């Protein structure tokens, strides 16, 4: 008996002639995500992708939990793969699902026969399997409407698969299928969630972080890396660009009216982000803004930031309440990291009374005091690149 | 092998005891200062709870004392925390007033961990005597141990906590001095080790290191005087930089100097200094908006509360290092914009 993982893809079935491209992308993403756990074979069998481990795979629990975070998967289950012989199938169902059957009170059997040369039809497979399990587990009752566990028996061309309840997948579309976009990430609660949400829609992420040493510390930078590691468990590898931002912030502080600090800063960030985005083939920017959350996120303020952008800015949290965002950040495990109390670039020189109804001419006037082009050029030149992986192998690192 | 381990354990105990001027059987090994403080306070309060509920301490204790006492407060004890003056010291008269006949525990640190102010521990003993109280006297001695001559028996201390890593020993070991004849209730159960007060297999590697570090301590009086010279040198240098207030009192333990670089918040200062190989702290857990309880209690103004740096010397700190520190602070002051 071999254990395999069955993958049901979600929206992919809708994609018509592009389906194969999407499936190939999904398989590539899964393969990448399983790196370090051994070799796996992937095959496409009638709307299901079958993931078969080779002999060197020892940790199927980890493999399964990683695949639960791959976008483009609607549901997945671990299954036993056995010879297409009814006796073998019955024994395998008893053995492989034994613990789950012991914990359940009611069950039903679903059978699917795509190999029509198999001697029994689906109803016969159901009744035979059901009868056998009832004879082995006396506490079980059949409930076809609302069973605790569904015993699935699938007769395929090459083998029979036996599995219990399907687990819900991460949903969405395979990362990369919608192209690439650049996520502006500060270290707060919102931006990692925004990244997660857009990756779910198939965007591959590039990270951009603005660092202002010594006002912001190495720890703040580490925090951003740790946040992106969590996001990368869903989105796959993320290339992070760290932009030196100190000089720009000091220039803003020294030369611009205090009530506009934050907005001038955000406009500078957007300008720099677009240069990096263009260089990295990113078709859009992603931010964690939500209307009215803070002074720089009122509608007039967003209009002022938007005004310097030539590419779309995706703001997936735009209509969400803070508690909704927090709920997602807890789900993806970024919340506890986000609330670590390190200063980030957005809080370095916060004005006491920021202007909530700024206008574009007002900002353009404030920016005349800055030498914008050289400042941006210098910042872009100083960019550092860090590659973020969602999973580290235990044997990496010093100890 | 077991015998050898036992031998090494007892040798380490004698070594630490010798530096505390106590007998080895008055010492209990723990995992560090926090555990020693918890064991002492919980153990003493529970031992004496039938004689009274009143505990006297100070507002500037280390969190491992401060928060343990808060916990005891929740459990029904009455905790009096004595205020400090602008120099970070409690007053003797407050002590005499606070310690009553039904007081069961007095906990006063020897030296404050953030500003180095030295507390009148011997007055605490006198206060207990004068009130005819059954109280035990606990002293958090983590900062004082190995920095100046300080024998618990000279101060009438019943329980005193010390830590290994504060005297260059390994992390993960500490000790609690329990004066002969003093009984406290255990908090951990399940073994015969350490007089049943600290059951569990002893962390011998760390304890042996603690013993070795204690044995390597130099003549503390001479070291104390040298530290004073270094501290005076530092203060002079910082005065030359300008814009710096010294938060530590003039008669503080010279190994700890707390300063405020006015107008420069701690976080960027710390990050700039650490980039340049200078490791100081902001005193309390460095977090946004959280001000040091000790400095607040000393009544310092907002400008000083926002910008503290806690500089600590070891006996190995050199004058060249102090020069470098002062240069770095001066440079940081120039580079970092005032908020």
């Amino acid at each position: 008996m071999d254990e395999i993982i069955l993958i049901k893809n979600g929206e992919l079935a809708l994609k018509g002639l592009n389906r194969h491209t999407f499936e190939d992308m999904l398989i590539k993403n899964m393969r990448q995500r399983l790196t370090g756990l051994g070799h796996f074979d992937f095959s496409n069998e009638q709307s299901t992708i079958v993931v078969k481990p080779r002999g060197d795979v020892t940790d199927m629990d980890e493999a399964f939990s990683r695949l639960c975070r791959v976008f483009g998967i609607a549901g997945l289950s671990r299954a036993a793969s056995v010879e297409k012989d009814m006796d073998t199938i019955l024994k395998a169902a008893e053995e492989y699902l034994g613990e789950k059957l012991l914990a359940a009170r009611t069950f039903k059997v679903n059978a699917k026969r795509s190999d029509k040369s198999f001697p029994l039809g689906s109803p016969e497979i159901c009744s035979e399997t059901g009868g056998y399990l009832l004879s082995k587990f006396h506490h079980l009752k059949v409930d076809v409407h609302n069973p605790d566990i569904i015993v699935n028996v699938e007769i395929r061309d090459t083998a029979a698969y036996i599995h219990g309840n399907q687990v819900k997948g991460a949903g969405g579309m395979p990362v990369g299928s919608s192209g690439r976009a650049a996520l502006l990430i500060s270290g707060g609660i919102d931006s990692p969630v925004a990244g997660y949400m857009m990756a779910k829609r198939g965007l591959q992420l590039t990270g951009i972080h603005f660092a202002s040493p010594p006002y912001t510390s190495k720890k703040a930078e580490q925090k951003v890396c740790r946040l992106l590691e969590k996001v990368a468990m869903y989105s796959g590898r993320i290339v992070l660009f760290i932009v030196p931002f100190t000089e720009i912030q000091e220039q803003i502080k020294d030369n611009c009216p205090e009530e506009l600090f934050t907005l001038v800063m955000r406009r500078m960030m957007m300008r720099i982000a677009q240069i990096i985005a263009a260089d990295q083939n990113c078709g859009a920017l992603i931010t964690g803004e939500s209307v009215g959350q803070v002074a720089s996120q009122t509608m007039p303020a967003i209009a002022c930031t938007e005004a310097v952008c030539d590419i779309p800015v995706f703001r997936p949290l735009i209509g969400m309440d803070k508690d909704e965002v927090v709920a997602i950040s807890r789900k993806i495990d970024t919340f506890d990291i986000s609330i670590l109390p390190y200063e980030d670039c957005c809080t370095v020189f916060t004005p006491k009374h920021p202007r909530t109804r700024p206008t574009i001419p007002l900002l353009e006037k404030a920016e005349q005091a800055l030498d914008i082009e050289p400042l941006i050029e210098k910042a872009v030149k100083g960019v550092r690149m860090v590659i973020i992986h969602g999973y580290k192998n235990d044997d990496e690192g010093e100890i | 092998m077991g015998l050898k381990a036992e031998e090494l354990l007892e040798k380490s105990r004698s070594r630490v005891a010798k530096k505390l001027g106590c007998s080895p059987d008055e010492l209990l090994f723990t995992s560090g200062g926090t555990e020693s403080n918890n064991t002492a306070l919980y153990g003493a309060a529970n031992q004496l709870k039938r004689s009274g509920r009143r505990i006297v301490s100070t507002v500037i204790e280390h969190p491992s004392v401060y928060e343990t006492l808060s916990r005891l407060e929740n459990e029904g004890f009455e905790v009096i925390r004595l205020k400090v003056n602008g120099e970070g010291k409690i007053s003797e008269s407050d002590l005499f007033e606070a310690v009553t006949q039904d007081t069961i525990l007095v906990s006063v640190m020897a030296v404050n961990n953030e500003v180095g102010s030295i507390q009148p521990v011997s007055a605490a003993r006198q206060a207990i005597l004068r009130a005819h109280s059954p109280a035990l006297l606990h002293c958090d001695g983590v900062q004082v141990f190995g920095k100046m001559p300080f024998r618990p028996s000279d101060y009438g201390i019943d329980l005193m906590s010390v830590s290994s890593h504060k005297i260059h020993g390994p992390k993960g070991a500490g000790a609690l001095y329990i004066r002969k004849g003093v009984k406290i209730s255990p908090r951990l159960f399940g073994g015969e080790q350490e007089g049943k007060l600290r059951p569990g297999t002893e962390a011998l590697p760390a304890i042996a290191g603690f013993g070795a570090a204690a044995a390597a301590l130099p003549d503390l009086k001479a070291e104390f005087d040298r530290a004073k010279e270094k501290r005076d040198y530092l203060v002079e240098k910082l005065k030359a930089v300008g814009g710096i207030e010294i938060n530590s009192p003039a008669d503080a333990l010279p190994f700890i100097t707390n300063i405020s670089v006015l107008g420069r918040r701690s976080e960027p200062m710390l990050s700039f200094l650490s980039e340049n190989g200078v490791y100081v702290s902001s005193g309390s857990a460095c977090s946004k908006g959280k001000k040091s309880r000790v400095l607040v209690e000393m009544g310092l103004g907002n400008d000083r509360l926002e910008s503290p740096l806690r500089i600590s010397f070891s006996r190995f700190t050199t004058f060249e290092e102090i020069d470098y520190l002062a240069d770095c602070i001066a440079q940081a002051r120039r580079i970092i914009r005032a908020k």
Side-chain angles (χ1 to χ4, degrees):
Chain A
M1 185 176 78
D2 297 319
E3 191 172 35
I4 55 169
I5 297 172
L6 302 176
I7 305 287
K8 303 269 182 208
N9 40 32
E11 287 182 40
L12 298 195
L14 305 174
K15 299 295 173 194
L17 291 176
N18 285 331
R19 212 179 104 189
H20 284 295
T21 329
F22 280 84
E23 271 169 2
D24 289 348
M25 210 163 248
L26 177 58
I27 290 175
K28 195 182 123 213
N29 290 349
M30 289 197 280
R31 199 186 288 283
Q32 212 167 42
R33 214 63 64 79
L34 295 174
T35 307
L37 297 180
H39 289 85
F40 292 84
D41 293 314
F42 296 81
S43 54
N44 216 329
E45 301 175 9
Q46 299 120 346
S47 81
T48 302
I49 297 170
V50 180
V51 185
K52 277 198 184 90
R54 289 197 200 161
D56 58 345
V57 175
T58 52
D59 195 346
M60 279 295 273
D61 291 346
E62 174 70 13
F64 189 72
S65 96
R66 289 191 187 186
L67 292 182
C68 286
R69 295 194 179 93
V70 173
F71 291 128
I73 296 176
L76 61 174
S77 34
R78 293 169 77 158
S81 165
V82 297
E83 214 181 297
K84 286 189 288 182
D85 162 78
M86 212 47 216
D87 281 344
T88 318
I89 290 171
L90 296 177
K91 282 258 153 46
E94 177 191 357
E95 212 180 289
Y96 184 66
L97 298 176
E99 271 177 43
K100 285 178 184 141
L101 288 166
L102 281 173
R105 280 164 307 162
T106 56
F107 81 114
K108 81 167 185 180
V109 181
N110 257 354
K112 224 199 255 170
R113 188 186 60 147
S114 51
D115 170 13
K116 302 296 178 199
S117 68
F118 191 73
L120 299 181
S122 295
E124 287 96 339
I125 299 172
C126 280
S127 68
E128 213 170 298
T129 311
Y132 179 80
L133 292 176
L134 282 171
S135 76
K136 292 292 175 184
F137 298 91
H138 297 295
H139 70 289
L140 278 183
K141 285 203 177 77
V142 175
D143 179 348
V144 291
H145 299 297
N146 199 10
D148 292 339
I149 178 170
I150 300 174
V151 175
N152 294 285
V153 179
E154 297 186 33
I155 312 290
R156 302 281 185 139
D157 290 341
T158 52
Y161 302 147
I162 297 140
H163 55 99
N165 293 339
Q166 182 173 292
V167 174
K168 204 168 175 307
M173 304 204 295
V175 166
S177 62
S178 305
R180 189 194 284 271
L183 169 69
L184 279 73
I185 178 157
S186 60
I189 295 170
D190 301 336
S191 38
V193 173
Y196 159 84
M197 287 176 70
M198 293 321 296
K200 187 173 179 173
R201 295 313 299 162
L203 283 171
Q204 191 166 5
L205 303 179
T206 293
I208 300 179
H209 174 67
F210 295 87
S212 295
Y215 303 97
T216 63
S217 64
K218 268 261 174 284
K219 280 184 178 166
E221 216 174 285
Q222 263 172 15
K223 177 181 168 185
V224 167
C225 293
R226 284 181 61 200
L227 284 171
L228 286 178
E229 278 168 18
K230 295 288 184 190
V231 176
M233 288 183 167
Y234 292 89
S235 70
R237 201 183 75 147
I238 298 172
V239 181
L240 169 67
F241 294 91
I242 299 172
V243 184
F245 205 54
T246 314
E247 195 184 346
I248 293 179
Q249 284 200 288
E250 287 177 345
Q251 290 293 323
I252 295 172
K253 178 169 170 54
D254 292 349
N255 300 304
C256 300
E258 183 181 332
E259 55 172 17
L260 295 175
F261 278 1
T262 315
L263 279 176
V264 175
M265 178 187 84
R266 287 196 78 85
R267 282 161 61 98
M268 291 301 274
M269 285 177 171
M270 292 305 214
R271 291 182 176 115
I272 293 170
Q274 284 179 98
I275 294 174
I276 297 173
D279 184 59
Q280 296 296 310
N281 289 321
C282 296
L285 302 179
I286 304 169
T287 72
E289 287 159 307
S290 157
V291 168
Q293 178 165 223
V294 290
S296 61
Q297 296 177 21
T298 61
M299 193 165 64
I302 289 177
C304 291
T305 354
E306 183 92 22
V308 297
C309 296
D310 299 325
I311 54 175
V313 181
F314 293 152
R315 301 180 175 89
L317 313 187
I318 198 74
M320 287 170 78
D321 288 349
K322 196 72 183 181
D323 54 347
E324 294 171 304
V325 178
V326 166
I328 299 178
S329 78
R330 284 191 196 277
K331 184 179 110 183
I332 63 172
D333 240 2
T334 53
F335 183 76
D336 289 338
I337 306 171
S338 286
I339 58 174
L340 292 174
Y342 307 125
E343 189 105 35
D344 64 50
C345 57
C346 301
T347 56
V348 168
F349 300 122
T350 19
K352 281 188 191 73
H353 302 289
R355 202 175 173 99
T356 51
R357 291 177 193 283
T359 60
I360 295 171
L362 205 61
L363 277 156
E364 281 170 349
K365 190 166 165 254
E367 281 170 354
Q368 278 169 12
L370 298 176
D371 227 349
I372 294 182
E373 289 309 320
L375 279 172
I376 288 178
E377 202 174 307
K378 207 167 153 201
V380 170
K381 248 189 207 141
V383 163
R384 272 181 304 131
M385 192 181 90
V386 183
I387 295 181
I388 311 277
H389 295 276
Y391 298 96
K392 284 186 197 137
N393 293 323
D394 289 345
D395 46 7
E396 280 173 16
E398 273 180 38
I399 294 175
Chain B
M1 228 186 35
L3 274 181
K4 263 194 136 164
E6 175 84 31
E7 228 171 74
L8 183 54
L9 180 69
E10 292 317 316
K11 183 176 167 190
S12 310
R13 200 187 306 278
S14 304
R15 286 172 142 179
V16 178
K18 194 169 168 212
K19 297 297 168 179
L20 283 167
C22 70
S23 145
D25 56 15
E26 291 177 307
L27 264 197
L28 167 77
F29 282 122
T30 66
S31 65
T34 295
E35 189 191 326
S36 294
N37 282 335
N38 272 266
T39 306
L41 299 172
Y42 246 89
N46 276 309
Q47 184 73 25
L48 292 174
K49 63 184 171 202
R50 270 171 222 92
S51 311
R53 316 290 288 174
R54 189 179 166 95
I55 298 172
V56 174
S57 185
T58 79
V59 291
I60 54 159
E61 295 297 316
H62 184 269
S64 61
V65 168
Y66 196 91
E67 284 168 28
T68 303
L69 292 180
S70 299
R71 182 63 199 245
L72 287 168
E73 209 166 9
N74 290 340
E75 292 177 14
F77 289 90
E78 179 196 7
V79 178
I80 313 292
R81 300 184 204 262
L82 301 178
K83 298 262 178 220
V84 293
N85 61 14
E87 301 210 307
K89 278 184 258 185
I90 56 167
S91 83
E92 300 193 3
S93 57
D94 284 354
L95 257 175
F96 283 114
E97 209 171 296
V99 179
T100 54
Q101 204 179 352
D102 61 345
T103 301
I104 55 161
L105 174 62
V106 178
S107 179
V108 175
M109 67 198 328
V111 170
N112 177 261
N113 51 306
E114 283 184 43
V115 296
S117 54
I118 298 173
Q119 304 303 320
V121 179
S122 49
R125 170 49 68 193
Q126 285 163 23
I128 293 171
L129 288 174
R130 200 180 291 180
H132 301 290
S133 127
L136 290 176
L137 175 56
H138 167 253
C139 174
D140 176 354
V142 169
Q143 295 296 330
V144 83
F145 181 50
K147 302 287 166 39
M148 62 184 252
F150 191 93
R151 296 151 62 105
S153 54
D154 292 345
Y155 292 81
I157 291 169
D158 296 309
L159 302 157
M160 183 162 109
S161 314
V162 297
S163 169
S164 156
H165 74 267
K166 293 285 178 194
I167 63 162
H168 306 282
K171 296 182 175 74
L176 177 63
Y177 160 84
I178 306 178
R179 188 170 58 80
K180 203 168 279 178
V182 168
K183 274 211 157 23
I184 60 170
S185 308
R187 281 204 78 196
L188 301 173
F189 304 92
E192 302 283 324
Q193 295 92 341
E194 303 295 301
K196 285 194 174 180
L197 276 168
R198 212 286 183 172
T201 306
E202 300 90 347
L204 192 59
I207 291 172
F210 186 15
L217 283 174
D219 170 18
L220 294 182
K221 179 74 186 72
E223 219 40 74
F224 183 84
D225 292 340
R226 253 193 296 279
K228 253 185 174 161
E229 281 172 38
K230 292 179 205 167
R231 195 260 321 269
D232 294 344
Y233 183 71
L234 169 72
V235 170
E236 207 172 291
K237 280 259 157 188
L238 293 177
K239 278 200 177 129
V241 172
I244 294 175
E245 297 278 355
I246 310 290
N247 302 323
S248 295
D251 62 351
L253 186 81
F255 292 90
I256 300 172
T257 307
N258 193 303
I259 66 170
S260 285
V261 185
L262 299 180
R264 307 293 187 279
R265 281 174 312 126
S266 301
E267 199 175 339
M269 287 296 288
L270 293 179
S271 109
F272 177 87
L273 292 172
S274 73
E275 288 286 302
N276 287 283
V278 175
Y279 300 98
V280 297
S281 74
S282 60
S284 64
C286 143
S287 56
K288 259 194 260 180
K290 235 190 200 168
K291 287 171 183 152
S292 150
R293 163 168 45 85
V294 175
L295 300 182
V296 170
E297 290 292 348
M298 285 168 65
L300 302 189
N302 252 337
D303 50 341
R304 282 162 84 170
L305 291 176
E306 274 177 356
S307 55
L309 295 179
R310 175 195 183 271
I311 299 159
S312 75
F313 293 160
S314 79
R315 61 181 193 263
F316 304 110
T317 305
T318 63
F319 285 92
E320 289 74 40
E321 285 168 340
I322 296 170
D323 285 338
Y324 181 67
L325 167 71
D327 287 349
C328 284
I329 290 178
Q331 208 186 335
R333 238 188 116 250
R334 273 197 303 276
I335 289 172
I336 294 169
R337 295 288 193 287
K339 172 114 182 169

